[in-house]
Amino acid sequence: QVQLVESGGGTVQSGGSLRLSCAVSGLTYGSYCMAWFRKAPGKEREGVVLVLSDGSIRYRPSVKGRFIASQDNVNSTLYLQMNSLQPEDTAMYYCAAESNGVSCATDFFVGGRHWNYWGQGTQVTVPS
């Protein structure tokens, strides 16, 4: 059974930092596309950072230079270091995994609608 469990969310002042973690089990970590998505109230879910199985990383332009994704393949954990947080970063953040390496990238840019595996989400709030 595949499980993705996020942690690390919270409330932080503008300009602050948070580190999200996603513990993965039930799949061969490193052979899947991994990603962080987020969904704010009243908005569509959007991809934040994509980590391909070859280790390459792609960031949403609005977070590039502020967010850093990393992974621990030994412990099957995906991280997201979020710096210089702004009120517009407020959202529920989800970790996701997808086995189809061909479609995962294109689907990432449409909110991951066909991605197979999702965590329960962790809330990030940056008050304005």
Side-chain angles (χ1 to χ4, degrees):
Q1 180 181 359
V2 177
Q3 285 192 313
L4 288 74
V5 180
E6 303 97 333
S7 61
T11 299
V12 62
Q13 295 303 308
S14 184
S17 298
L18 283 173
R19 189 192 195 203
L20 306 184
S21 298
C22 173
V24 181
S25 61
L27 55 79
T28 304
Y29 193 86
S31 63
Y32 280 64
C33 295
M34 299 296 302
W36 288 98
F37 294 86
R38 66 186 180 186
K39 187 178 186 313
K43 295 186 177 180
E44 296 288 323
R45 185 173 64 203
E46 61 186 21
V48 178
V49 59
L50 172 66
V51 181
L52 298 176
S53 58
D54 64 1
S56 58
I57 301 175
R58 302 178 189 176
Y59 295 93
R60 182 176 194 80
S62 63
V63 307
K64 197 170 184 179
R66 299 189 297 124
F67 290 11
I68 302 171
S70 62
Q71 50 186 353
D72 180 347
N73 286 4
V74 173
N75 293 306
S76 301
T77 303
L78 179 68
Y79 299 101
L80 184 63
Q81 177 67 42
M82 305 187 295
N83 301 319
S84 301
L85 282 161
Q86 301 300 317
E88 54 265 32
D89 296 315
T90 294
M92 184 71 80
Y93 283 71
Y94 298 91
C95 174
E98 167 57 39
S99 59
N100 190 324
V102 176
S103 66
C104 70
T106 53
D107 204 43
F108 169 81
F109 292 104
V110 290
R113 64 184 65 173
H114 298 303
W115 279 52
N116 283 330
Y117 303 108
W118 295 84
Q120 82 288 349
T122 186
Q123 178 68 37
V124 172
T125 302
V126 188
S128 56

